[in-house]
């Protein structure tokens, strides 16, 4: 079973920043695009951003120009830099491959509140 391990969440005020990180098993990291997803209370899980093996990125309209996804090929990690955070960004954030696998990590909670 694939294990993704997310970290870096926390409580931040509107307008603030957070950087999330996801540790990915090497056999997965080197062979697939990776993405970040989130699930807000009472809502379905949604895609946020992805990055291909070659470094091409794409973002949901709701986070475009505020979030940046990156991958560290030496560490097998995928990061999500989140700037100008809004209360509506509050959610549990998960990483997974693209296309998604059935196995999910525990996620990391991001709360944007004053």
């Amino acid at each position: 079973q694939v294990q993704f391990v997310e970290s870096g969440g926390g409580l931040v005020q509107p307008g603030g920043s957070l950087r999330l990180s996801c540790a990915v098993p090497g056999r997965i990291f080197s062979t697939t695009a990776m993405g970040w997803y989130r699930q807000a209370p009472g809502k379905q899980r949604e895609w946020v951003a992805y990055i291909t093996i070659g470094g091409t990125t794409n973002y949901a309209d709701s986070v475009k120009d505020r979030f940046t996804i990156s991958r560290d090929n030496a560490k097998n990690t995928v990061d999500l830099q989140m700037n100008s955070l809004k209360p509506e960004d509050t959610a549990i954030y998960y990483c997974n491959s693209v296309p998604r696998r059935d196995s999910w990590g525990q996620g990391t909670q991001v709360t944007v509140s004053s």
Side-chain angles (χ1 to χ4, degrees):
Q1 191 172 7
V2 176
Q3 289 195 338
F4 302 107
V5 181
E6 301 91 349
S7 62
L11 172 63
V12 63
Q13 292 186 343
S17 299
L18 280 175
R19 188 176 184 89
L20 308 182
S21 187
C22 175
V24 184
R27 61 184 174 85
I28 301 299
F29 185 88
S30 62
T31 59
T32 186
M34 290 297 303
W36 279 94
Y37 305 79
R38 68 185 181 186
Q39 186 167 19
K43 295 186 177 181
Q44 289 191 336
R45 194 171 297 175
E46 64 177 0
W47 164 74
V48 174
Y50 76 73
I51 184 167
T52 67
I53 295 174
T56 300
T57 59
N58 198 12
Y59 300 90
D61 287 343
S62 59
V63 306
K64 198 169 294 184
D65 298 325
R66 298 189 298 122
F67 290 11
T68 302
I69 189 171
S70 61
R71 58 193 295 156
D72 187 325
N73 294 330
K75 297 181 179 179
N76 290 351
T77 57
V78 180
D79 289 355
L80 186 68
Q81 177 66 42
M82 306 186 296
N83 299 327
S84 303
L85 283 161
K86 305 175 181 180
E88 50 263 44
D89 294 318
T90 295
I92 300 175
Y93 284 71
Y94 304 86
C95 72
N96 205 319
S97 57
V98 178
R100 295 177 295 181
R101 295 173 178 268
D102 292 337
S103 177
W104 293 86
Q106 292 190 335
T108 186
Q109 175 72 49
V110 172
T111 303
V112 184
S113 175
S114 54

